[in-house]
Amino acid sequence: MRIRCKPWAKPELEACGFCINEPETLKGKWRCEFKNDAPLYLELGCGKGGFISQAAPSNPDINYIAVDIKNEMLVLAKRKLEDAYKEKNIQMDNVRIFIKNIEQIDNVFDEADCVDRIYINFCNPWPKTKHKKRRLTHFRQLEKYKTFLNGEIWFKTDDDGLFNESFDYFEQAGFEIKFKTCDLHNSEYADRNYITEHEKMFTDEGKKIKFLIANPKKI
């Protein structure tokens, strides 16, 4: 579904104190940006912010970064974050957001950033063969993540094809699967899961949520 251009979205993000307008300038310096040694978690493709607006304010001892390619989506995530922190009456010290094409994410992070966890939640499954290289779990993307990942990837989806084919991508990129389930909501990780609006919609439609945890193999 195409998202209509909102001329107010970019200016609102540019005026936002926790939105990074030039993320490339922080490559290798993200831990300095937060000015502490807390774990650093990254969400790729945050959409309207259903996940990050729950995770970040609930875990003030963890630093979060959320990325999306569309101003029109990220501005909604920004607003959800503001509402969530206001509701908890806490400072927004542990979250940053920015716009970026995730295919170019290696222009924003490097090995010095040592990201402890990457979240990929309900990304576009790109079912057509000619488009599959755009998947966020495609092995070309996984190779990029490895350059700055110092921990795990947590991946969840409602799409059977994307989930099953991602196993091959992780293997090709030198990752090992630590945990996998075809029914996240009835797994041992259910109580560690933040259910987003889309996730609830998929569940209400009778779809099981697929989930895996993977990390680069040790050499």
Side-chain angles (χ1 to χ4, degrees):
M1 182 177 65
R2 287 188 177 274
I3 303 169
R4 291 183 180 179
C5 178
K6 308 292 185 183
W8 43 262
K10 186 176 180 181
E12 183 173 334
L13 289 170
E14 289 176 343
C16 172
F18 57 92
C19 182
I20 306 300
N21 295 316
E22 297 182 358
E24 294 84 358
T25 64
L26 288 175
K27 183 175 181 178
K29 304 174 184 176
W30 282 99
R31 290 185 176 271
C32 297
E33 167 68 16
F34 287 100
K35 300 179 176 62
N36 59 53
D37 296 324
L40 182 60
Y41 291 0
L42 170 65
E43 184 185 10
L44 299 176
C46 67
K48 297 178 182 179
F51 171 83
I52 195 67
S53 63
Q54 295 181 74
S58 297
N59 299 282
D61 56 339
I62 297 172
N63 295 323
Y64 287 86
I65 303 171
V67 187
D68 203 83
I69 193 172
K70 292 286 187 180
N71 291 317
E72 291 76 11
M73 298 297 281
L74 195 66
V75 74
L76 298 178
K78 172 247 184 195
R79 293 177 179 181
K80 280 189 177 180
L81 280 163
E82 290 172 334
D83 289 343
Y85 278 84
K86 183 178 180 180
E87 182 178 345
K88 288 182 176 289
N89 194 28
I90 58 176
Q91 295 294 316
M92 300 185 68
D93 297 331
N94 70 319
V95 64
R96 301 290 187 273
I97 61 176
F98 65 82
I99 290 289
K100 191 67 180 177
N101 183 337
I102 296 170
E103 291 184 7
Q104 302 167 0
I105 200 66
D106 52 337
N107 292 333
V108 181
F109 296 93
D110 68 16
E111 62 276 3
D113 295 308
C114 294
V115 173
D116 296 287
R117 184 178 297 170
I118 293 174
Y119 290 100
I120 302 175
N121 299 316
F122 302 101
C123 61
N124 191 327
W126 294 109
K128 293 183 179 180
T129 300
K130 65 180 180 180
H131 292 153
K132 288 183 179 180
K133 62 183 179 181
R134 300 181 184 178
R135 290 172 165 176
L136 297 190
T137 58
H138 193 273
F139 71 87
R140 298 192 314 172
Q141 285 299 116
L142 294 173
E143 289 286 357
K144 294 178 182 179
Y145 309 153
K146 281 171 61 179
T147 64
F148 57 83
L149 176 64
N150 192 39
E152 306 170 332
I153 293 179
W154 286 34
F155 167 55
K156 62 179 176 178
T157 181
D158 65 300
D159 191 274
D160 292 323
L162 173 61
F163 189 64
N164 292 329
E165 291 175 34
S166 290
F167 295 140
D168 290 335
Y169 300 151
F170 279 104
E171 178 63 29
Q172 289 180 66
F175 282 73
E176 61 181 351
I177 307 296
K178 294 178 59 179
F179 178 83
K180 64 179 178 180
T181 179
C182 289
D183 190 0
L184 170 59
H185 294 173
N186 287 303
S187 77
E188 62 192 85
Y189 281 86
D191 60 351
R192 301 172 64 181
N193 179 48
Y194 296 103
I195 298 177
T196 66
E197 292 177 0
H198 275 91
E199 185 169 350
K200 183 179 185 304
M201 179 185 70
F202 295 139
T203 302
D204 290 346
E205 291 174 354
K207 296 180 180 180
K208 300 293 184 182
I209 305 303
K210 274 65 71 173
F211 172 72
L212 67 79
I213 298 175
N215 62 276
K217 294 178 181 178
K218 295 182 179 179
I219 299 176

